[in-house]
Amino acid sequence: TCGEGVTIAVIDSGCDLNHPDLKASLVKGYNCINPKQDPQDQNGHGSHVAGIIAAENNDFGVVGVANCAKIMPIQVLNRMGAGRMD
């Protein structure tokens, strides 16, 4: 399968909410670093992980291993890739 009907929480540095390979796969996420802001990735790692999982099957870039799945970005790491255990 391609992950249809599955939502995967990516708990990382957030996600590039406007990335052309990801934006159709995103559902509302959460920013634990600053709850008043969207989980916009400022580090790149969370976007990379989300792309491996669910990058759109189009004519450019890579295709995610579950490209029909939805991604819920949860930002727990800051722009430096650091976070708190609590």
Side-chain angles (χ1 to χ4, degrees):
T1 72
C2 63
E4 190 169 358
V6 175
T7 299
I8 301 164
V10 175
I11 304 169
D12 205 299
S13 61
C15 188
D16 181 349
L17 305 177
N18 298 306
H19 193 288
D21 278 345
L22 298 174
K23 64 183 177 181
S25 298
L26 298 175
V27 298
K28 184 165 176 57
Y30 187 75
N31 184 335
C32 296
I33 303 295
N34 188 343
K36 294 180 181 180
Q37 295 181 359
D38 289 329
Q40 178 64 40
D41 193 354
Q42 297 176 358
N43 176 278
H45 191 268
S47 298
H48 182 86
V49 172
I52 291 170
I53 297 168
E56 187 176 338
N57 187 4
N58 54 23
D59 292 332
F60 65 94
V62 299
V63 177
V65 296
N67 61 297
C68 296
K70 296 294 184 186
I71 296 291
M72 179 186 294
I74 307 294
Q75 186 173 9
V76 299
L77 303 175
N78 63 20
R79 70 177 62 235
M80 301 301 293
R84 296 174 46 178
M85 292 297 286
D86 59 340

